[in-house]
Amino acid sequence: MGRRGAGRRELLSRSPAGSMALAASLLPALLLLLLGRPGLGAPGQGAGTWSRFARLPYPQDQLFLHDTFPDGFLWGAGSAAYQTEGGWRQGGKGASVWDTFAHRPATPSGAAPPGPVGGDVASDSYNNLFRDVEGLRRLGVSHYRFSLSWARLLPNGTAPPNPAGLAHYGQLLARLRELGVEPVVTLYHWDLPQALQDAFGGWASPVLPGLFRDYAELCFRHFGGQVRYWLTMDNPYVVAWHGYGTGRLPPGVRGGPRLAYLAAHHLLQAHAKVWHLYNDHFRPAQRGKVSIALSSHWIKPQRMTEKSIKECQKSLDFVLGWFAKPIFIDGDYPESMRSNLSSLLPEFSEAEKKYIKGTADFFALSFGATLSFQLLDSHMKFQQLESISLRQLLYWINSEYNNPQIFIVENSWFVSGTTKKDDAKYIYYLKKFIMETLKAIRYDGVNVFGYTVWSLLDGFEWHRGYSIRRGLFYVDFQSHDKKLMPKSSVLFYQKLIEKNGFPPLPENQPIEGIFPCGFAWGIVDNYIQVDTTPAQFLDSSVYVWDVHQTKQLIKVDGVYASKRKRHCVDFAAIRLQISLLQEMHVTHFHFSLKWSLILPLGNLSLINHTLVHYYQCFASELLRVNITPVVALWQPMIENQELPVSLAKYGAWENTETVQAFVEYARFCFTSLGDHVKFWITMNEPSVKNLTYTAGHNLLKAHAKVWHLYDKEFRRSQKGKISIALQADWVEPACPFSRNDQEVADRILEFDIGWLAEPIFGNGDYPDVMRAWLHRRNSVDLYNFHLPYFSEDEKKLIQGSFDFFALSHYTTTLVGSEKEDAVKYDHYLEVQMINDITWLHSPSRAAVVPWGLRKLLKWVKSKYGNVPVYVMANGIDDDQNMVHDKLRVYYIQNYINEALKAYTLDDVNLQGYFFYSFNDKTAPKYGLYSYIANQYEAKPSLKYYREIIGNNGFPGPETPDLLCPEEVASCANCQFFRTRKSLLAFISFVFVAFIVTIFFITYYSKRVERRYK
């Protein structure tokens, strides 16, 4: 049976590739059908959230969702008055509790630290109103959430109002109206007038709800005609718990839990008064909506037990439910709070419950860096694990609170205060949160109608001061004019708004087609299992069977049979491995020899002939079953770099003697194994992370000398090919819009791949980028990294010493130019490693990024021309759990499909693909065979790889059926017969004649016997 020929640029249909695309498109419907939409909310119904998400299909549910948001979805940005306005003494503004808190005198040494630097000036938005609005115009948002400063409008907290304050916000609203940007206005965002704190004790007083109602009435009368969305207050949990309980935040009252619960009681009453005020007196004319911005964390159980889930439910009750249940359910606190807090929790009268119940026109949710992992007290977690899953929180709210319309009014993460333009970390958190919102809508049936990124611009970040940044626009707080500079996140969010989400792109879709005739389908084992234990048939002793007494074999002393010659069939380990390989249907098997065992002393003075014979047998047995051996002479391992001890002791590759020793070793291997091996790798995955420049220099010369040795002395007779295999993971700029990040990515590719590839496949010398960078670092810093120079003869020796480009590819890395995380920052190369948290990850945290392989193959072609390319290793780890073998199935399908795109769409000269690895015994967690209790068992992913091999890719109905010529495996032992065909014919004739003669003799003898009888 011949293979089908290459198919080009096929459409999706009923093929494996089409099935992959179809499955992705049907996933939302399947999830809603199988798991259902959340039913009508009721207290405690959200407890089903954890078990629901635990049984979602893996990894499909965790894949990035390429889809768009519903038409009319609201996209916006937000800010808060105290964080950005500044102008604390301008325009008649009164003092707020935050002004007072920030201006506290420094404490004596050893006492509690002083409060953070305040928002006296902050981003100076009070004096730069048009600057901020221009930022909104540039983003293309549909709404802008901002807060009114109570102390700016009512300096003393009560009448009379401040005309300058009214004018300021009137001007802002007018400008927003001109741009067509919808205002979402918060009445109170933590900055209570200090006068009210001094006179009444702030929210601890029952007077405050009435005063808040009066303040709200002023705002509704002056601004209500221009505002459709009102938020009474932001995050009452933080105000009550940390303002009046712990004292961590203004007004800094350490009243303990009792006072915190009392303040929350008054906050709820104040909110309800304002909602009823608007509903009774302003809604008919202004037609707006009123809610309250509630903040929450997310929590996951330590273990999936009923007890842990109850504790998670309790955690959300104590933070979000504290305010949400009275408003959205029944006017009273959660039962878990009632039963646990007893007398600490104030009581609502029946009239108050009715008054509070239903006082929100939508659910306004705040989720992100303000509360999560920051202002959530540890005991509020109830010994469970905090998480940042926005999607699960949205589903929980949907289940718990009667399927409300949800408006996300604050969401994002943060970057370091030193980050300026390229805020990659911020982008990827934003991408994660927005994608989770999209999944909540499309997969879970949650009704989310708007999203607000926090924040429009950098500002004062409450208890963290200016140590972090959360803005889309950068503000230089030391400058006088406070100009806004767009960060990379501006471009990201701008494009996202334009596209209304993440629409499917052609490059995201799998394709149909097949690979060329003769494509190498392989499997990798770093080192084959070597077991040279002789078979029982090699025992020359003579035994007798004691049939009368012991019933056992008894060895006869002093009597021996003649020894027979050792054969390959005597190695049982080989037979087992060959049978396992046959089950895979691979055409090639790649493994490495052990230099340290073949030549233990590093030279030919001591040769392990038994091991060499084992390798000969293994290769010949592979050929017997039509599997081509692909053999690496050397692969570095942890112990002594897999070098003979004598070489490892004396400098390893730093020593030039290792070069000559490698050449002698290679000559021996070519002589001993060359009749069986036609596909050689000089060095497999030399790790540049662990190489000095001197070692790399010698390694390149050793490779080149071995290549020329084979080319001159062995190629003509053995007719093989040889090259080097380099590890080549893809490197992507963290900010795709950043020139600086692109330069960093290019630099890392040259240091990681170009260092060894450019001399061989390029111009015979190291990449210019490497030399220029090292020269710069050596001249600026105390570094003295010397990159050696090749002589002209050495350049000629190394350049072109290849027959193909072999690469190992496992994952993709994001790199940035701005230092964000010291642990993941490389000072030498000035590169920040970044993680895209929307990517799939293996148990070892390796990112699963199929498109990285295609980009790498295109890069190789653009750098080194139309060289034949082999993906010599590509694989992912698991954790011995069948669930995670589903990840390997996904990995195999999608990485090979990206390789097909490189071949069919990018015209990369791809000749083969090898999966890593063969089994878990030699490469734990990476194998297509598990190894448990001395038994090999095929994992489900093996079946999928075998199916792809059988189809030679992903054929579709339109793929042309072109038969490939039959491939005949090379067989060294068959050469004897091919060159002696005449002799074979003669022997066959004699044998047949002999059989015929015997037949006639027997026949006639029997006839004679019958006649005489």
Side-chain angles (χ1 to χ4, degrees):
M1 291 288 291
R3 283 201 184 125
R4 284 186 265 187
R8 301 272 180 169
R9 307 177 190 270
E10 306 296 346
L11 298 174
L12 293 171
S13 63
R14 294 184 297 275
S15 70
S19 299
M20 291 158 64
L22 182 62
S25 65
L26 290 178
L27 184 59
L30 288 172
L31 285 174
L32 287 174
L33 188 65
L34 292 173
L35 299 174
R37 293 177 180 269
L40 277 178
Q45 192 165 318
T49 301
W50 292 277
S51 59
R52 177 189 188 271
F53 280 88
R55 65 178 189 269
L56 289 178
Y58 177 87
Q60 289 77 11
D61 182 66
Q62 294 186 22
L63 298 177
F64 193 86
L65 175 58
H66 292 279
D67 202 348
T68 56
F69 284 80
D71 292 340
F73 192 82
L74 302 179
W75 294 104
S79 67
Y82 187 76
Q83 290 186 282
T84 59
E85 272 189 5
W88 79 290
R89 284 181 171 174
Q90 287 182 258
K93 177 184 175 294
S96 74
V97 291
W98 264 100
D99 292 321
T100 304
F101 193 76
H103 295 156
R104 291 176 302 171
T107 56
S109 177
V117 176
D120 292 2
V121 179
S123 317
D124 202 20
S125 290
Y126 182 75
N127 297 301
N128 291 278
L129 183 150
F130 288 97
R131 175 204 67 181
D132 294 357
V133 175
E134 176 59 23
L136 293 168
R137 185 197 62 77
R138 178 166 183 168
L139 285 170
V141 294
S142 56
H143 70 272
Y144 176 46
R145 181 193 170 192
F146 64 94
S147 72
L148 306 174
S149 171
W150 190 346
R152 190 176 295 283
L153 291 170
L154 297 172
N156 296 315
T158 58
N162 175 21
L166 293 171
H168 171 74
Y169 292 117
Q171 188 179 25
L172 174 57
L173 288 167
R175 182 61 182 144
L176 291 176
R177 185 172 64 251
E178 290 175 12
L179 290 178
V181 175
E182 187 82 52
V184 178
V185 181
T186 308
L187 293 171
Y188 168 61
H189 201 127
W190 306 6
D191 49 352
L192 182 74
Q194 183 63 41
L196 299 182
Q197 182 64 33
D198 294 340
F200 306 104
W203 290 108
S205 169
V207 175
L208 259 288
L211 297 178
F212 186 59
R213 179 197 179 282
D214 295 340
Y215 161 59
E217 184 173 3
L218 170 74
C219 297
F220 293 156
R221 291 193 186 280
H222 279 82
F223 311 126
Q226 303 174 70
V227 179
R228 273 204 312 155
Y229 294 99
W230 290 98
L231 300 173
T232 56
M233 57 187 69
D234 181 88
N235 203 340
Y237 166 85
V238 168
V239 175
W241 191 255
H242 292 299
Y244 295 87
T246 68
R248 287 183 64 187
L249 298 178
V253 178
R254 298 179 182 178
R258 186 178 298 276
L259 191 62
Y261 292 126
L262 181 62
H265 204 69
H266 296 149
L267 285 163
L268 278 165
Q269 290 171 332
H271 159 76
K273 281 180 178 290
V274 171
W275 187 88
H276 283 287
L277 168 69
Y278 189 86
N279 191 58
D280 296 342
H281 301 285
F282 294 95
R283 192 189 302 274
Q286 296 179 0
R287 301 181 183 279
K289 295 183 178 182
V290 180
S291 190
I292 180 173
L294 300 179
S295 186
S296 185
H297 62 304
W298 182 247
I299 199 87
K300 62 182 181 180
Q302 289 265 15
R303 298 177 183 85
M304 281 300 292
T305 63
E306 185 177 348
K307 180 181 177 182
S308 291
I309 290 174
K310 282 183 177 179
E311 295 299 288
C312 289
Q313 182 78 5
K314 188 189 298 183
S315 175
L316 292 174
D317 281 346
F318 270 64
V319 178
L320 179 57
W322 185 4
F323 301 92
K325 182 174 174 287
I327 294 170
F328 290 92
I329 299 296
D330 59 6
D332 201 1
Y333 298 114
E335 182 57 34
S336 59
M337 294 184 74
R338 282 257 169 246
S339 59
N340 280 271
L341 299 174
S342 62
S343 61
L344 285 177
L345 204 60
E347 295 277 350
F348 286 119
S349 67
E350 290 303 315
E352 287 176 322
K353 291 178 185 178
K354 291 179 181 179
Y355 191 72
I356 293 171
K357 177 184 176 182
T359 54
D361 299 324
F362 54 90
F363 197 112
L365 175 65
S366 170
F367 182 78
T370 301
L371 180 63
S372 296
F373 296 95
Q374 287 295 315
L375 293 175
L376 182 69
D377 282 7
S378 59
H379 70 274
M380 291 289 192
K381 301 175 188 177
F382 294 93
Q383 299 182 330
Q384 305 308 308
L385 304 173
E386 195 170 358
S387 176
I388 53 170
S389 176
L390 175 56
R391 177 185 171 190
Q392 293 187 48
L393 175 61
L394 289 169
Y395 185 86
W396 186 89
I397 291 170
N398 209 38
S399 303
E400 191 82 4
Y401 300 121
N402 289 323
N403 311 108
Q405 286 188 313
I406 301 175
F407 192 174
I408 298 173
V409 295
E410 176 183 343
N411 179 239
S412 74
W413 208 241
F414 63 88
V415 292
S416 165
T418 60
T419 299
K420 292 184 178 180
K421 184 177 180 181
D422 296 327
D423 54 343
K425 174 184 170 183
Y426 184 90
I427 288 176
Y428 290 111
Y429 272 95
L430 207 59
K431 181 181 173 186
K432 167 188 165 63
F433 290 136
I434 294 173
M435 184 198 65
E436 288 193 348
T437 303
L438 181 60
K439 285 185 175 181
I441 295 170
R442 298 301 188 195
Y443 289 177
D444 308 327
V446 180
N447 187 359
V448 184
F449 68 90
Y451 179 89
T452 311
V453 68
W454 201 269
S455 63
L456 174 64
L457 67 166
D458 291 333
F460 172 73
E461 289 301 330
W462 308 118
H463 62 294
R464 304 184 74 176
Y466 297 100
S467 64
I468 64 170
R469 294 176 180 269
R470 295 184 68 193
L472 294 168
F473 287 90
Y474 173 82
V475 176
D476 182 355
F477 296 112
Q478 304 302 319
S479 67
H480 176 70
D481 56 6
K482 305 289 190 297
K483 284 185 179 179
L484 296 188
M485 181 177 75
K487 303 179 190 177
S488 293
S489 54
V490 166
L491 293 171
F492 168 79
Y493 194 48
Q494 182 186 56
K495 291 184 179 297
L496 187 142
I497 293 172
E498 287 177 2
K499 297 175 181 178
N500 196 33
F502 311 100
L505 300 172
E507 56 265 33
N508 302 137
Q509 304 303 310
I511 67 166
E512 291 176 350
I514 54 179
F515 290 94
C517 292
F519 191 79
W521 290 104
I523 192 72
V524 186
D525 204 354
N526 287 338
Y527 297 101
I528 59 173
Q529 178 189 348
V530 175
D531 183 358
T532 57
T533 303
Q536 61 180 3
F537 303 109
L538 296 180
D539 188 352
S540 59
S541 300
V542 175
Y543 298 83
V544 295
W545 188 13
D546 184 357
V547 296
H548 298 293
Q549 297 182 12
T550 64
K551 309 288 187 182
Q552 294 180 352
L553 292 174
I554 300 174
K555 184 177 179 181
V556 180
D557 295 332
V559 180
Y560 299 96
S562 59
K563 289 187 177 181
R564 73 168 178 81
K565 186 179 179 181
R566 185 183 295 244
H567 298 289
C568 291
V569 74
D570 296 322
F571 295 121
I574 292 180
R575 295 199 303 273
L576 174 60
Q577 291 179 81
I578 296 296
S579 65
L580 294 175
L581 288 168
Q582 284 182 281
E583 284 295 310
M584 293 183 173
H585 298 179
V586 293
T587 62
H588 291 64
F589 179 54
H590 172 32
F591 64 94
S592 299
L593 304 176
K594 286 203 170 188
W595 183 5
S596 63
L597 297 182
I598 294 175
L599 302 179
L601 300 181
N603 55 48
L604 299 178
S605 64
L606 179 61
I607 301 171
N608 188 338
H609 289 287
T610 302
L611 180 59
V612 172
H613 180 60
Y614 188 92
Y615 284 133
Q616 290 171 337
C617 287
F618 197 96
S620 64
E621 288 298 297
L622 286 172
L623 292 172
R624 185 180 61 81
V625 296
N626 291 327
I627 297 176
T628 301
V630 180
V631 180
L633 295 170
W634 173 72
Q635 177 169 340
M637 298 298 282
I638 295 176
E639 186 176 359
N640 294 326
Q641 301 182 52
E642 192 42 52
L643 295 171
V645 175
S646 58
L647 297 176
K649 273 186 178 180
Y650 296 99
W653 288 108
E654 297 264 342
N655 190 338
T656 55
E657 291 184 9
T658 304
V659 175
Q660 190 54 41
F662 185 65
V663 175
E664 291 180 13
Y665 162 62
R667 184 191 301 276
F668 173 77
C669 291
F670 294 152
T671 303
S672 304
L673 302 172
D675 287 339
H676 307 284
V677 179
K678 310 301 180 186
F679 200 142
W680 289 98
I681 301 293
T682 56
M683 300 160 176
N684 193 52
E685 298 184 21
S687 175
V688 296
K689 306 293 184 186
N690 301 318
L691 274 182
T692 65
Y693 293 126
T694 301
H697 200 70
N698 289 333
L699 189 145
L700 282 166
K701 289 191 285 187
H703 155 76
K705 287 184 176 183
V706 168
W707 187 89
H708 283 283
L709 168 69
Y710 188 84
D711 190 55
K712 292 175 182 177
E713 299 185 24
F714 295 93
R715 189 189 300 275
R716 181 175 298 176
S717 60
Q718 297 181 0
K719 295 181 172 53
K721 52 188 174 182
I722 184 169
S723 196
I724 188 172
L726 304 176
Q727 182 161 342
D729 288 334
W730 181 242
V731 179
E732 184 79 2
C735 292
F737 319 107
S738 167
R739 182 179 300 175
N740 291 336
D741 283 10
Q742 184 63 60
E743 289 177 359
V744 169
D746 292 341
R747 180 162 68 245
I748 300 304
L749 284 170
E750 294 295 357
F751 270 82
D752 283 359
I753 306 173
W755 176 6
L756 300 180
E758 185 65 27
I760 298 171
F761 300 93
N763 60 12
D765 201 356
Y766 297 114
D768 293 337
V769 170
M770 281 188 73
R771 289 211 181 274
W773 181 258
L774 291 174
H775 176 74
R776 172 176 171 256
R777 294 312 306 260
N778 291 339
S779 62
V780 172
D781 301 323
L782 297 177
Y783 295 107
N784 186 22
F785 294 108
H786 174 63
L787 189 62
Y789 286 87
F790 293 113
S791 67
E792 290 304 315
D793 287 342
E794 287 173 333
K795 288 181 183 179
K796 292 178 182 177
L797 177 78
I798 296 170
Q799 185 181 21
S801 57
F802 68 90
D803 294 335
F804 50 87
F805 195 115
L807 59 90
S808 298
H809 174 84
Y810 302 98
T811 188
T812 291
T813 304
L814 292 171
V815 295
S817 57
E818 297 214 25
K819 184 178 179 180
E820 177 64 36
D821 180 356
V823 175
K824 296 182 179 180
Y825 186 78
D826 186 328
H827 292 271
Y828 171 51
L829 292 175
E830 294 183 2
V831 55
Q832 177 69 62
M833 302 299 172
I834 302 289
N835 180 35
D836 184 342
I837 53 178
T838 66
W839 286 349
L840 277 176
H841 288 83
S842 73
S844 69
R845 302 305 298 162
V848 179
V849 192
W851 51 259
L853 175 57
R854 181 183 177 188
K855 286 197 171 189
L856 172 67
L857 293 172
K858 289 172 67 177
W859 182 84
V860 169
K861 180 183 177 182
S862 68
K863 287 278 293 182
Y864 306 118
N866 197 36
V867 57
V869 179
Y870 289 87
V871 177
M872 200 56 68
N874 178 234
I876 194 73
D877 62 289
D878 61 30
D879 62 356
Q880 308 298 326
N881 188 324
M882 283 300 181
V883 170
H884 287 94
D885 198 53
K886 293 179 182 178
L887 178 62
R888 185 178 284 107
V889 170
Y890 172 83
Y891 187 99
I892 290 172
Q893 287 179 333
N894 287 274
Y895 270 85
I896 295 178
N897 198 263
E898 291 296 323
L900 180 63
K901 290 178 187 177
Y903 169 69
T904 60
L905 305 179
D906 308 324
D907 294 319
V908 173
N909 188 7
L910 187 61
Q911 300 283 311
Y913 173 91
F914 291 67
F915 190 76
Y916 181 85
S917 84
F918 180 19
N919 63 73
D920 284 345
K921 183 175 183 180
T922 52
K925 300 183 179 183
Y926 281 86
L928 290 181
Y929 283 101
S930 62
Y931 184 75
I932 302 172
N934 296 322
Q935 295 291 323
Y936 291 95
E937 184 177 343
K939 298 179 184 178
S941 49
L942 187 150
K943 171 188 173 184
Y944 287 92
Y945 187 41
R946 187 169 59 200
E947 183 180 338
I948 293 171
I949 293 173
N951 291 325
N952 200 28
F954 304 90
E958 305 299 322
T959 305
D961 292 333
L962 298 177
L963 293 177
C964 294
E966 194 72 39
E967 295 178 16
V968 179
S970 175
C971 174
N973 294 332
C974 299
Q975 188 66 20
F976 171 86
F977 300 105
R978 292 195 192 106
T979 56
R980 294 166 174 80
K981 291 180 180 178
S982 300
L983 177 61
L984 287 173
F986 176 73
I987 292 174
S988 300
F989 172 76
V990 170
F991 178 74
V992 171
F994 175 75
I995 295 298
V996 171
T997 302
I998 293 298
F999 172 78
F1000 279 113
I1001 290 174
T1002 304
Y1003 175 77
Y1004 284 108
S1005 295
K1006 289 182 178 180
R1007 289 188 64 181
V1008 170
E1009 288 177 7
R1010 285 197 295 269
R1011 181 180 304 169
Y1012 281 103
K1013 286 181 181 179

